[in-house]
Amino acid sequence: MNRKSFLKSAFASAFALSGLKSWGLGRKSNYNQFLPSLTLEQVSLETAPYSLAALPYAPESLEPNIDKLTMEIHHGRHHKAYVDNLNKAVAGTPAEKLTLLELIKDAGKQPVAIRNNGGGHWNHTFFWNVLSPKGGGAPKGDLAKAIESTFGSFDKFKEEFGKAATTRFGSGWAWLIVQDKKLVISSTPNQDNPLMDVAEKKGQPILGLDVWEHAYYLKYQNKRADYVTAFWNVVNWDEVSKNFENALK
């Protein structure tokens, strides 16, 4: 290859790489730094306008279990859309004076747009916080004892939770909740959750899994069961244990 051909090839490669970067590929995401760092509790107690909080970690940090592009689209587009649409839905109504948690608990009394988008906002904020790049393994302490006592073993619990996630028809969520100080597995359709007055099984969520297709389809296509299996590698058991302790108070 002569010098002219080499330079032409190098320029073409650089141009292609620049194009990839402009589409968010080949680089670390930076949108997270422009969003507020809010805890789930802070988000739950916000009144309108509600905020999209930053992810607690970089979107690529859950790979290979959940890929960067899925996280960026899931958080930066889907979750953001729930927040934006919720703010539109409550604008100029009495609901804009309610906290997000108050909206959720009275979801059955709210218009569909508030129920769906409010649920979507809370559910996703909760979901991001029960995931971690340093997650996986098994729970410890009181939560581990409660899981073994309730389900027989940690493996049996994962089997039952996985069944709730994979058999949820269409879009929805699988949950581990505390109900009357006991652990219960449940699932909800769409963006409903166990805190809502419309939930079939009510309780305090301590672990949740999003089984909407947008949560896994780029990497796992229609293989929801594979996504559920990968989920166990990134579960933040420290956070789930804190949720468990708080739910028992």
Side-chain angles (χ1 to χ4, degrees):
M1 180 183 291
N2 59 35
R3 183 173 183 275
K4 183 176 181 180
S5 297
F6 173 79
L7 290 174
K8 184 177 181 180
S9 176
F11 178 78
S13 298
F15 182 80
L17 180 60
S18 175
L20 286 174
K21 288 182 177 180
S22 71
W23 282 95
L25 303 175
R27 62 171 175 80
K28 291 186 176 180
S29 301
N30 61 8
Y31 72 83
N32 223 18
Q33 66 183 325
F34 300 111
L35 297 172
S37 295
L38 300 172
T39 65
L40 174 64
E41 182 179 13
Q42 288 172 324
V43 169
S44 298
L45 297 179
E46 269 196 329
T47 55
Y50 306 100
S51 306
L52 175 68
L55 287 169
Y57 36 74
E60 65 270 16
S61 63
L62 299 181
E63 292 184 342
N65 299 287
I66 304 177
D67 61 284
K68 172 190 173 186
L69 186 58
T70 293
M71 287 298 295
E72 289 184 337
I73 293 174
H74 197 173
H75 176 264
R77 299 185 191 179
H78 288 282
H79 188 176
K80 184 178 185 300
Y82 289 122
V83 177
D84 291 345
N85 289 330
L86 176 61
N87 283 325
K88 291 177 184 177
V90 301
T93 75
E96 68 181 348
K97 297 181 180 179
L98 299 178
T99 67
L100 178 61
L101 191 57
E102 289 172 333
L103 284 180
I104 288 171
K105 289 186 174 181
D106 286 336
K109 302 174 185 176
Q110 302 295 339
V112 173
I114 293 179
R115 171 177 170 176
N116 288 343
N117 290 294
H121 181 24
W122 192 92
N123 291 355
H124 283 86
T125 305
F126 179 87
F127 183 49
W128 309 135
N129 283 278
V130 295
L131 304 178
S132 171
K134 298 179 181 179
K140 300 176 182 179
D142 290 340
L143 176 59
K145 293 176 183 177
I147 286 176
E148 185 171 350
S149 174
T150 304
F151 302 102
S153 69
F154 179 55
D155 286 339
K156 184 63 176 176
F157 156 69
K158 290 200 297 182
E159 180 183 336
E160 292 299 316
F161 188 92
K163 186 183 298 182
T166 54
T167 60
R168 163 49 59 187
F169 182 77
S171 300
W173 293 75
W175 304 95
L176 177 64
I177 65 175
V178 172
Q179 182 185 77
D180 299 326
K181 298 189 179 299
K182 297 179 180 178
L183 293 178
V184 175
I185 290 172
S186 70
S187 70
T188 55
N190 303 315
Q191 292 297 349
D192 286 357
N193 66 51
L195 292 171
M196 293 181 172
D197 55 351
V198 295
E200 182 179 349
K201 292 183 179 180
K202 299 178 180 63
Q204 181 65 44
I206 65 171
L207 177 66
L209 174 59
D210 187 348
V211 294
W212 280 64
E213 286 186 345
H214 64 239
Y216 62 87
Y217 212 82
L218 288 181
K219 182 176 178 68
Y220 297 99
Q221 286 79 51
N222 63 323
K223 300 175 182 177
R224 185 189 288 184
D226 289 352
Y227 161 68
V228 175
T229 298
F231 164 71
W232 297 116
N233 296 325
V234 292
V235 172
N236 185 349
W237 288 113
D238 289 340
E239 186 70 17
V240 180
S241 293
K242 290 178 184 176
N243 293 339
F244 178 60
E245 292 172 6
N246 291 332
L248 292 179
K249 292 178 180 178

